[in-house]
Amino acid sequence: MNWNYFESDEAYEAAEQYWKNLFFSLMHEGDTYDWVTPYYNNQLADGTRMRDGNPIFSAVSRSSGRSIRIVIESDLEYADLTYWVDQKNGKNELVVVCGWTLPQLSKAEEVLGSWLGGGKHGGF
């Protein structure tokens, strides 16, 4: 995997695909059809794709309205993975902010698995 995802379009697309594959690999059988990705618009008005890592991945559940946003910091050595559930204005969105290191990717997988394992009302 190319860890410098800002260096090329191909590397950025590989990073996007990594998160999409991870997300759907954590789904319960039959749940994949409930989720729409991307949830957030990732294109500028002229159609150019945004490639700033915010978000690198997003999804929303059709049935529950829960959503997920993964943000990758451009500093490849970003110190800590952080996450929270944004419940402002009727949202129920898991936000994960991390760097692009193996320990943080592993922790992000744990966080996503816990969130998705919680069924319609969320994990935590």
Side-chain angles (χ1 to χ4, degrees):
M1 179 181 311
N2 184 343
W3 297 101
N4 295 315
Y5 64 95
F6 284 120
E7 288 186 0
S8 71
D9 289 344
E10 293 81 16
Y12 194 89
E13 289 168 10
E16 288 177 313
Q17 192 62 47
Y18 169 85
W19 287 103
K20 186 174 184 177
N21 290 346
L22 175 62
F23 177 77
F24 284 110
S25 76
L26 296 170
M27 289 274 129
H28 294 273
E29 189 174 329
D31 288 348
T32 57
Y33 299 106
D34 184 44
W35 290 85
V36 176
T37 183
Y39 174 48
Y40 288 103
N41 180 16
N42 60 1
Q43 292 186 339
L44 300 172
D46 68 0
T48 303
R49 299 223 20 224
M50 291 184 283
R51 297 188 185 280
D52 65 355
N54 185 9
I56 190 81
F57 176 81
S58 64
V60 65
S61 166
R62 289 182 178 111
S63 63
S64 70
R66 289 188 313 145
S67 59
I68 294 173
R69 180 167 40 115
I70 307 292
V71 178
I72 298 295
E73 286 294 324
S74 60
D75 178 2
L76 295 177
E77 298 302 321
Y78 183 74
D80 295 312
L81 176 139
T82 57
Y83 65 93
W84 63 92
V85 178
D86 182 355
Q87 295 183 320
K88 296 177 197 159
N89 302 317
K91 281 186 181 180
N92 190 4
E93 177 177 68
L94 171 65
V95 181
V96 177
V97 180
C98 63
W100 200 236
T101 65
L102 286 174
Q104 289 187 38
L105 295 175
S106 178
K107 178 64 176 173
E109 182 175 351
E110 289 176 30
V111 170
L112 282 172
S114 177
W115 176 253
L116 293 170
K120 284 188 169 183
H121 304 292
F124 324 122

